Amino acid sequence: MPEPPYEQEGAVAGTGMGGAMDLAASEATTLEKNPSAASGGRAPGGPEGTGPQAKPRSLWSDAWRDLRRNPVFIISAVVILFLIFISLWPSAIASGSPLKCDLAKAQEGSSPGHPFGYDGQGCDVYTRTVYGARTSVTVGVCATLGVALLGSVLGGLAGFFGGAADSFLSRTTDIFFAIPVVLGGLVLLSVVTSNTVWPVIGFIVLLGWPQISRIARGSVITAKQNDYVQAARALGASNSRILLRHIAPNAVAPVIVVATIALGTYIALEATLSFLGVGLKPPSVSWGIDISAAAPYIRNAPHALLWPSGALAITVLAFIMLGDAVRDALDPKLR
């Protein structure tokens, strides 16, 4: 008896949950040739962005993604961008001159056009507070760049090569750590006659590089023990290539975190030295100078002390908060 003609049966494909899904033979063939169609266009092996063809995310891309979602970073970044703006263009929000004073208006309170009042010399507190941001931001940024550059180079080279250079650097940093910062500033800056920000910046770099150097040294020592560094060395890569291409990108994160937090402390240090009379001096405009001038009149004119002190506190806090946010984003242990 002849067999009935073959009828195309439905193909059976497993669903992964113990059941079955009837598909036409043509559809089953399509799935075999294009497995990604069963996953909605995503590559097999996981959710979108995790397939074998997806581009791997780096530490920096993950950190930026976390920072964009961190309200602490957003708030501190907005404050810092505003400070940078008024440092570059203070006349955009303050039309007067910070050096123009009227003794007849000394210690007066706020008035139309002068919301912060006047200090003991009759100078507009609002204008001097705005122009004082330029000095603080300049000192903080320049000192941080100098400290980070010098400390990273010395610490990175010492940690990479080791030996006598590493021992000498370690003992040198111990000596610098033993010097009190404020006392050192009183001694060194008291003999400087220049009335610019560069002596203060140079002093901060002189006493600030050991901290970054120790951080960079430890990061380089940890990074050079990784397998990819040993593989590059086995393939004949030079020391300069290993240090610049393989170690430095993976050891710079702790330096960035410490330098960002230290920037706020450098601004506070400049204000402290100016308050003590060894940093910037009149007619320079600085929050430390204004705080020092307003301190004797704190009972009669507290506003002259409140506004520059508040601006200094907000600035330092913004940079410290930014550094904390960057640290949390770059720390793989917190992921």
Side-chain angles (χ1 to χ4, degrees):
M1 179 176 179
E3 296 181 358
Y6 174 76
E7 295 182 0
Q8 190 176 24
E9 298 179 352
V12 179
T15 61
M17 299 180 62
M21 179 174 59
D22 292 335
L23 298 172
S26 60
E27 295 178 358
T29 304
T30 302
L31 291 178
E32 291 179 0
K33 294 181 179 179
N34 187 15
S36 63
S39 60
R42 294 190 300 268
E48 185 177 1
T50 60
Q53 297 180 353
K55 183 179 179 181
R57 295 196 303 264
S58 64
L59 172 64
W60 302 104
S61 62
D62 287 343
W64 175 240
R65 183 186 59 182
D66 294 341
L67 287 174
R68 288 182 300 176
R69 301 175 180 176
N70 190 344
V72 174
F73 170 78
I74 295 175
I75 295 174
S76 59
V78 169
V79 174
I80 292 172
L81 289 177
F82 176 73
L83 289 171
I84 295 175
F85 172 77
I86 64 175
S87 299
L88 297 176
W89 299 284
S91 59
I93 62 174
S95 58
S97 172
L99 302 179
K100 182 179 180 181
C101 305
D102 186 359
L103 287 176
K105 299 180 180 180
Q107 302 183 17
E108 288 187 2
S110 61
S111 60
H114 306 279
F116 293 176
Y118 298 87
D119 60 9
Q121 301 296 324
C123 302
D124 185 19
V125 177
Y126 172 77
T127 303
R128 292 188 63 86
T129 301
V130 171
Y131 276 84
R134 172 181 291 179
T135 301
S136 297
V137 172
T138 301
V139 171
V141 172
C142 293
T144 302
L145 291 177
V147 166
L149 181 61
L150 181 60
S152 298
V153 171
L154 295 180
L157 293 177
F160 181 77
F161 292 104
D166 187 18
S167 300
F168 176 77
L169 180 68
S170 298
R171 303 292 77 78
T172 303
T173 55
D174 292 340
I175 294 174
F176 277 92
F177 277 127
I179 301 176
V181 177
V182 177
L183 180 60
L186 290 173
V187 174
L188 296 178
L189 295 178
S190 60
V191 298
V192 176
T193 58
S194 176
N195 195 27
T196 63
V197 298
W198 299 113
V200 179
I201 294 174
F203 166 74
I204 295 176
V205 173
L206 179 63
L207 294 187
W209 71 266
Q211 180 186 17
I212 301 295
S213 176
R214 181 164 292 185
I215 298 296
R217 173 183 174 273
S219 299
V220 170
I221 291 176
T222 302
K224 75 176 184 179
Q225 297 175 357
N226 293 326
D227 294 338
Y228 57 84
V229 176
Q230 303 302 328
R233 193 183 301 276
L235 291 175
S238 62
N239 289 333
S240 59
R241 181 178 178 84
I242 293 175
L243 186 59
L244 297 178
R245 295 292 300 274
H246 300 284
I247 294 181
N250 296 281
V252 73
V255 175
I256 293 176
V257 173
V258 174
T260 305
I261 298 176
L263 197 155
T265 62
Y266 296 156
I267 293 177
L269 179 59
E270 179 274 324
T272 301
L273 295 174
S274 299
F275 178 85
L276 296 175
V278 295
L280 297 177
K281 304 175 183 62
S284 298
V285 181
S286 169
W287 289 335
I289 295 176
D290 292 345
I291 295 173
S292 177
Y297 310 103
I298 187 172
R299 291 187 177 182
N300 298 329
H303 59 274
L305 179 65
L306 174 63
W307 293 111
S309 301
L312 175 63
I314 292 174
T315 302
V316 174
L317 181 61
F319 281 105
I320 293 178
M321 291 171 57
L322 180 69
D324 290 340
V326 173
R327 179 198 59 196
D328 295 340
L330 293 177
D331 191 355
K333 297 180 182 179
L334 300 178
R335 299 185 181 278

